[in-house]
Structures are given as structure tokens and as C-alpha cells.
Amino acid sequence: MSKYRIYLSPSNQFGNTYGYGDTNEGTQCTDIAQYCKTALERCGFEVMVAQANESMKIRCENSDIFKANLHVPLHTNAYNTQVMGTRVFYDTTGTPSYNAAKCVYDVLAPLTPGNSDALKAYPELYEVKHPAAPTVYVESEFHDAPAGAEWIIEHKKDIAEAVCKGICNYFNVAYIPDKTSTVTSPIKTPVLTKVAIHMPVLREGNCSETTKSLQQLLNAKGYNSGTPDKEYGPITKNAVIEFQRMNNIPMTGIVDRNTWNRLFGLA
């Protein structure tokens, strides 16, 4: 039996609504985490799952206390209701974080229906940067696309089994399949063609739902933009400037196409 410890950190973004099914990211990722816990324990891992009310700081501290061998945030993604696919992030190419992320991506990406083209370094993400353990940051499909949202809802267990199998591959632990899982057979779902991205330019003084989404995204990545309230004020501007600084983008405080692409891991 394995002696490895896995810390699962499901999204607690219950305000991120799905394009299908009257549900949200937090609810679906909580379910995925529980399925993943069951799968990992079946394969001999010790598992801790973060609680919904815990901040990213507390989660990273608990992961360290648990002495996790791998830290795994579980999220679903959003962009412009048309882009789909799976993104998996790690700290730096050639590190344990990269090797583990590639193992998970290689199993999960072929399973998900969209255009999965992003296995990328993203060291500035809070839950990549701060845990002592290597991080595999999973963004499984885009929930604002109705087809993606429907797929996630109907295949939560398969997502969890794929993550588990990838982790097993990384640690060279035998994967014990669940008899009801279809993870070994890719699901035949139409793949959407990738389209051009069109997001509004945001700057201080804006007030919109898109600004609220920006604030939620910045907060999730560890850049404090305050309470998501639709108002692009000084706190949000400072968070944008810090994000731009960390990503070698001109520090204008204006969320242009380049900044949007980096926020969503598309550049």
C-alpha cells in the first residue's frame, strides 16, 4: 500500500455559476474532490480534503501540516462561453510539480471534450507558489460553456478517476479502477472549435458583471481585489497591477486582451 499523502483543494467559488444545470463551480468541485478522495484511498493514498470555508492561506498551511506529497487544487474554468478544454498548471518545467501535472494532464485531457492545449507553468498562482508539496493545479473544462458544464456535471466521477490515475502514474502506484468508471474509454462528445477571444477592456471606474468576474478571478489567484462588488476601484486596480508585474505585462492597471489571456492561462 502507498504511504503517499495527497491534499485536495476543491474550488470554493460558489458564485461562479454554470452555463447549464443551475449549479456552480464550488458545488461541482466539492463533489469531484469527494470522488477523487474515494478513488485515491482505494489505491492506497492518504487523503485530506479542504473545507469550503477555508482560505487559500489556511489550505496551504494545512497541506504543509499534513505533510502532503502532492497538493491538488480542483477547479473548473470560465472564459467567454465558447472556449472549452482542460488546463493543468505547475510551477516550473522539469520540477516534480511539472512531472506530476503532466501525468494528470495526459490522462485527463484526452477525456474532456474541449480543445485541451494548456499544460503550463503558472508559478504565481497562490496554491502553486505557497504549499511545500509540489502542486498540480487542475482546471477541468469550461463551465460557462453549456456543453462543457453539462459534461462536467455528468462526468464528475470520471474526472476524479482520471486525476487519481494520473497521480498513481506519477508515484508509480498501481491504479485500481472503479468498476463503474469509464475513465479508460474517452467519451465521444463533439469538440468545439477554438474561437477568437473577445473580452471588454476594463479600467478603474468600470462597474459591471465582468468587473465582478475579474475580481473573483484575481482573488482566486491570490491577488487581493477586495470583495467582488462590480466596482473597479483602487483595490482592484492595485491587484491588476500586481498581477501584471508578476507576469511581465506593462503595469497599466488596465485589463486588456494580453492581461485577460494571462489571467486565463491562454498566453
Side-chain angles (χ1 to χ4, degrees), residues 93-163:
T93 301
T95 63
S97 175
Y98 165 76
N99 294 333
K102 187 175 188 306
C103 286
V104 171
Y105 182 84
D106 286 348
V107 180
L108 181 60
L111 183 72
T112 57
N115 182 20
S116 299
D117 60 357
L119 173 65
K120 290 188 176 182
Y122 212 150
E124 62 269 28
L125 284 173
Y126 193 93
E127 285 191 85
V128 173
K129 181 177 181 180
H130 290 282
T135 291
V136 176
Y137 196 108
V138 180
E139 293 267 14
S140 182
E141 268 304 339
F142 282 70
H143 62 248
D144 60 338
E150 183 176 6
W151 186 87
I152 294 164
I153 293 166
E154 293 181 354
H155 297 96
K156 290 180 287 190
K157 190 171 184 179
D158 293 318
I159 292 169
E161 291 289 336
V163 172

Side-chain angles (χ1 to χ4, degrees), residues 1-6 35-48 66 69 161 164-165 167-169 171-177:
M1 298 295 284
S2 169
K3 297 186 183 299
Y4 297 113
R5 295 185 176 97
I6 311 299
Y35 282 126
C36 195
K37 179 178 186 290
T38 297
L40 288 164
E41 289 178 341
R42 186 178 69 238
C43 296
F45 292 90
E46 293 182 44
V47 182
M48 177 179 285
F66 182 55
N69 299 105
E161 291 289 336
C164 174
K165 187 173 183 179
I167 291 171
C168 286
N169 290 345
F171 286 108
N172 197 26
V173 170
Y175 169 69
I176 302 173

